[in-house]
Amino acid sequence: MQHLSRRQFAQAAFWLPTLALAGPVLAQTGDDPVEFVESQYNNIYIYKRGTQVSMTFGHNKRLYTESVMDTTDTKALPVEYTKFMTAAVAYTKTQNSILQIGLGGGRTSWYLHVHLPEAAIDVAEIDPKVIDLAKKYFAVKEEKNFAPVAMDGRLFLLRNPAKRYDLICIDAYRGPFVPFHLLTKEFYVKVAEHLTEGGIVAQNVEPSTMVFNAAVATMKSVFRQVDFFPASGNVVLVAYNDAERLSDADLLKRAEALQAKYAFRYPLTDLVKGRREPSNPVKGQVLTDDFAPVETLHAIERKNEKWK
């Protein structure tokens, strides 16, 4: 199988159409500005529209919406793909520990915390200003079993080798793209090392660019199974290491048991029915790191700097 290095990927990505949207969608006009914060990693804008508040990141004179919250219903998930991120819970055999890489406004991780209060939830968010704004505008707060940490997700895994999770959710974007170091085979190997037996990975990837095919191929190079949940312009990938793909009947059975136990706001029994298979096989190149292991920490830190 041919491997695509970081430099080759970056050169190819340069030629992607400028109108291609990422997981975060372009912010709409007519929103009322509330606050602007310039951090080491992002230009962050908070907007309000009616009862909704949004967090957006600025890149190349465009605003990409990262999170939306309904201020009259803080348990709601207005952004469609975040609902399908929670569908990954139906795959889990236990629900004791969760890692979320990428906080944004905290909608997915906080939703899981509310419904699974006994689960220990770690959140790795590289930007401390994002954590501050999530607390200020998005009803996120530090509680027992909910701990946001200001750290890059991959570095968090490297620096916490003993931690294991039943579910790892990955939803980190830099403007229109997932950071490259959160898409490589070496990254997914590290993720797999931090899973409990039968652990699950869920990642939000935008499907209309070459990144999607490469992400699927790379994830499949590490995990035996990768399932697809389309969600209004996004696709949530759910990866696991079962020898056989979980059947629709077995997945629904698990969803029914967990829904009865935890009463999720968005029923798992409905969400798992959204699993789909692509009409054509997804063929992509496996992405790999192109720096030596001893350079990993410094390389990641350099790549996380805000794009100029």
Side-chain angles (χ1 to χ4, degrees):
M1 179 178 293
Q2 185 177 3
H3 295 264
L4 193 65
S5 73
R6 177 182 60 82
R7 291 190 181 91
Q8 290 170 322
F9 174 84
Q11 291 168 355
F14 179 83
W15 296 104
L16 292 175
T18 57
L19 294 180
L21 303 187
V25 297
L26 283 173
Q28 302 180 37
T29 57
D31 295 344
D32 296 322
V34 175
E35 185 170 348
F36 166 70
V37 174
E38 184 175 6
S39 75
Q40 180 182 359
Y41 304 102
N42 298 292
N43 294 324
I44 311 167
Y45 302 81
I46 304 297
Y47 288 94
K48 282 189 176 179
R49 170 177 287 204
T51 63
Q52 292 189 338
V53 60
S54 65
M55 178 185 292
T56 71
F57 291 169
H59 171 64
N60 282 351
K61 299 182 180 180
R62 293 191 173 203
L63 298 177
Y64 294 87
T65 299
E66 301 289 325
S67 295
V68 179
M69 184 185 76
D70 185 341
T71 57
T72 65
D73 184 359
T74 59
K75 294 181 181 179
L77 297 175
V79 179
E80 188 74 5
Y81 83 82
T82 59
K83 300 174 186 176
F84 285 96
M85 289 287 286
T86 72
V89 174
Y91 288 77
T92 60
K93 297 177 181 178
T94 55
Q95 302 79 42
N96 299 320
S97 55
I98 297 172
L99 171 63
Q100 173 86 30
I101 294 178
L103 175 68
R107 295 301 82 213
T108 305
S109 54
W110 190 256
Y111 175 93
L112 292 174
H113 172 60
V114 168
H115 289 89
L116 301 169
E118 298 305 313
I121 299 180
D122 290 334
V123 182
E125 165 56 55
I126 189 172
D127 196 335
K129 297 296 185 182
V130 167
I131 296 176
D132 292 342
L133 292 170
K135 293 177 180 178
K136 185 174 181 179
Y137 293 105
F138 292 86
V140 169
K141 52 187 176 180
E142 293 190 30
E143 292 187 343
K144 177 186 176 182
N145 288 336
F146 188 87
V149 177
M151 188 181 298
D152 172 83
R154 184 162 171 177
L155 294 184
F156 181 88
L157 295 174
L158 289 169
R159 291 171 178 172
N160 293 277
K163 283 184 173 285
R164 297 293 182 271
Y165 299 96
D166 299 314
L167 172 62
I168 296 179
C169 295
I170 306 164
D171 188 17
Y173 272 81
R174 300 293 305 282
F177 297 111
V178 179
F180 183 86
H181 66 279
L182 301 182
L183 283 173
T184 67
K185 181 174 183 177
E186 291 85 350
F187 169 66
Y188 290 124
V189 168
K190 187 60 60 178
V191 167
E193 291 173 356
H194 284 75
L195 292 175
T196 58
E197 184 177 353
I200 304 300
V201 180
Q203 184 164 12
N204 170 41
V205 182
E206 197 276 333
S208 69
T209 72
M210 63 171 284
V211 177
F212 179 74
N213 288 353
V216 173
T218 308
M219 194 173 276
K220 284 186 173 181
S221 74
V222 176
F223 298 96
R224 293 177 179 177
Q225 309 298 332
V226 177
D227 288 352
F228 302 80
F229 287 86
S232 299
N234 294 68
V235 174
V236 173
L237 303 176
V238 176
Y240 51 107
N241 260 326
D242 290 4
E244 301 291 338
R245 181 175 183 267
L246 194 62
S247 70
D248 290 343
D250 287 341
L251 181 58
L252 182 59
K253 185 177 179 179
R254 290 189 189 185
E256 289 171 344
L258 290 172
Q259 185 62 34
K261 183 176 181 179
Y262 295 113
F264 289 96
R265 164 70 176 277
Y266 300 97
L268 293 177
T269 47
D270 293 338
L271 294 174
V272 298
K273 294 175 183 177
R275 181 170 66 168
R276 298 288 184 271
E277 285 297 309
S279 55
N280 297 307
V282 177
K283 297 181 179 179
Q285 294 177 317
V286 174
L287 306 176
T288 62
D289 293 342
D290 65 348
F291 43 79
V294 294
E295 298 176 328
T296 298
L297 298 183
H298 292 305
I300 291 173
E301 289 169 351
R302 290 196 303 270
K303 293 177 179 65
N304 279 326
E305 291 295 324
K306 183 165 60 179
W307 296 345
K308 302 300 183 183

